[in-house]
Amino acid sequence: MEQSESADGPPVEALRAVFDVHEVRSDGRRRIYYGESLVPEQMLVREVWSAFRQAGYDVEAQVSGLGETDVVIVEPASQGSEGIPWKNITLFALTVFSTLFVGAYAWYYIPLSDIAANPLVLLRAWPFTAAVLGVLSVHELGHYAVGRYHGVNVSLPYLIPFIFPFGTLGAIIRMRGQMPDRKTLFDIGVAGPLAGLLATVVVTVIGLSIEPMTVPSEVLARSGDMIVFNNPPLLDAIAAVLGRPTEYADPRTVVHPVVIGGWVGMFFTVLNLLPVGQLDGGHMVRAMLGERQESLAAAVPLVLFGIAGYLHYVRGLGLNQSVGLWFFWGLMSTFIAYNGPAKPIDETPLGSTRMAVGLVTFALGAACFLLVPIQVIPG
């Protein structure tokens, strides 16, 4: 039996123009319309989305196309979680601790015995923590700010604690709202890399301007593998502009750990701009090329596996010399590609300005790429 609609409820008249309503049911905050769609599923959502969104509702449709009952699900659009975001706060606190610990031990050369005797010495690594978490947080907050500007329900950043070499695996946000159009999808996708790259450049300039660190003699005397982080072109370019070295003839002298924050920002920018799935590059290319993005995404794993094969079979490098890194991301991109990017309701193509911004962003990402970013050199 069809139920009456309140004056301040969903604009059901907009739905009736493209959907023959047979029955209406309520399920908590959701309202479910059963009937027969008069247009294809994608057109159904596109035709009614604007009216329902203006009234404060999200719309989903399930059209069978086989003469069976079609369904339209309507629920109030959420603009974000209410209350204190305890999960975000907890992950932030854990990541601050993990980056302080890794920074103190691996980058400030504080012995574990000193850390155990006085945990407050971890605070000496606060510049490293501020640099690494700064570039990652600014990147995700770029997505968050633009998402909220466009009225899309996006979460606050979730920082991910980890162990060596940086104390974190990065940060993510969740987009839970519907994507209205390709313009919005592009703006949200591109905001993170551009904001993150700006923060990366600032952090790199600060790090190169700080006096270098002196490696304790007992650390140099240790025998063991050494991890080398090679400079991406953008880092070398910034150093050249500043007239500051990134390497020193004296092995006891190394750049300040804040520079590593810039390196992390560049490395994560490259990974985020891979044009697959829910990564920033996937969203951007989906907005720029439409459904043709799927063809490009299918080629990404092959390219990454090809890089790993080239490094191993042509250049003779081992798994710990970035071969394993690119092979791992070849596997990751294969799985990520299955989910695909967000699908906008309105498929109107982007204008020339946004297309140009997208191309410039990918060019900046290319300036952060190098075939062998990390090498492990036996001691």
Side-chain angles (χ1 to χ4, degrees):
M1 177 180 295
E2 185 172 325
Q3 299 176 1
S4 61
E5 301 285 344
S6 61
D8 57 352
V12 69
E13 290 305 320
L15 178 62
R16 293 185 194 278
V18 290
F19 191 85
D20 186 8
V21 180
H22 298 166
E23 183 181 359
V24 184
R25 296 179 185 175
S26 294
D27 178 15
R29 299 172 70 239
R30 300 193 308 169
R31 198 161 296 180
I32 306 173
Y33 298 86
Y34 298 88
E36 180 182 357
S37 178
L38 306 179
V39 295
E41 181 176 328
Q42 282 297 105
M43 183 180 296
L44 170 61
V45 176
R46 187 166 58 247
E47 289 294 324
V48 304
W49 189 87
S50 179
F52 275 80
R53 186 63 176 179
Q54 290 178 8
Y57 293 88
D58 280 333
V59 184
E60 295 181 23
Q62 299 171 6
V63 176
S64 66
L66 300 175
E68 300 178 3
T69 301
D70 301 324
V71 179
V72 173
I73 302 172
V74 177
E75 63 180 325
S78 174
Q79 293 299 313
S81 59
E82 299 178 357
I84 300 174
W86 289 113
K87 184 180 294 186
N88 303 79
I89 293 173
T90 300
L91 287 173
F92 175 77
L94 290 173
T95 310
V96 167
F97 174 78
S98 63
T99 51
L100 282 173
F101 177 80
V102 170
Y105 178 71
W107 300 101
Y108 284 77
Y109 312 108
I110 300 175
L112 289 176
S113 57
D114 289 0
I115 295 174
N118 180 18
L120 290 179
V121 298
L122 295 178
L123 296 177
R124 287 171 53 187
W126 74 263
F128 172 82
T129 292
V132 172
L133 298 191
V135 296
L136 296 176
S137 297
V138 168
H139 178 116
E140 298 303 333
L141 287 172
H143 292 310
Y144 178 81
V146 174
R148 295 303 299 267
Y149 171 79
H150 281 291
V152 175
N153 181 13
V154 293
S155 71
L156 288 168
Y158 295 90
L159 289 164
I160 306 173
F162 196 60
I163 48 176
F164 299 98
F166 309 122
T168 179
L169 278 178
I172 61 172
I173 65 168
R174 295 175 58 196
M175 289 193 294
R176 294 170 292 216
Q178 290 181 299
M179 195 60 57
D181 48 41
R182 283 162 67 168
K183 179 184 72 174
T184 300
L185 178 60
F186 177 83
D187 290 353
I188 296 174
V190 79
L194 290 180
L197 277 172
L198 177 60
T200 293
V201 171
V202 171
V203 163
T204 303
V205 168
I206 293 173
L208 291 172
S209 301
I210 301 175
E211 289 301 310
M213 294 276 292
T214 299
V215 182
S217 56
E218 59 269 23
V219 174
L220 290 175
R222 295 176 189 164
S223 61
D225 296 343
M226 180 175 65
I227 301 177
V228 176
F229 298 90
N230 295 316
N231 293 349
L234 180 59
L235 197 154
D236 281 334
I238 295 172
V241 170
L242 296 177
R244 299 286 294 183
T246 60
E247 296 180 356
Y248 296 86
D250 186 349
R252 295 172 299 176
T253 304
V254 294
V255 295
H256 195 276
V258 167
V259 176
I260 299 302
W263 192 97
V264 169
M266 296 177 199
F267 181 66
F268 277 94
T269 294
V270 170
L271 297 181
N272 273 296
L273 284 177
L274 292 176
V276 294
Q278 299 290 315
L279 296 178
D280 299 342
H283 291 314
M284 290 171 59
V285 175
R286 177 62 177 82
M288 295 169 73
L289 301 182
E291 295 183 354
R292 290 176 294 169
Q293 180 268 345
E294 296 178 3
S295 299
L296 182 59
V300 171
L302 299 178
V303 171
L304 296 178
F305 288 137
I307 292 174
Y310 165 76
L311 294 178
H312 182 65
Y313 293 107
V314 178
R315 295 184 52 175
L317 301 181
L319 287 176
N320 58 1
Q321 294 177 303
S322 293
V323 173
L325 170 70
W326 295 124
F327 184 82
F328 170 77
W329 273 97
L331 292 175
M332 284 290 292
S333 63
T334 301
F335 289 109
I336 293 172
Y338 277 111
N339 291 327
K343 293 184 179 180
I345 294 170
D346 184 352
E347 291 283 0
T348 301
L350 299 181
S352 58
T353 299
R354 282 184 169 84
M355 293 291 287
V357 170
L359 293 174
V360 169
T361 303
F362 281 114
L364 291 172
C368 299
F369 173 81
L370 66 165
L371 285 174
V372 188
I374 301 175
Q375 290 177 278
V376 179
I377 300 178

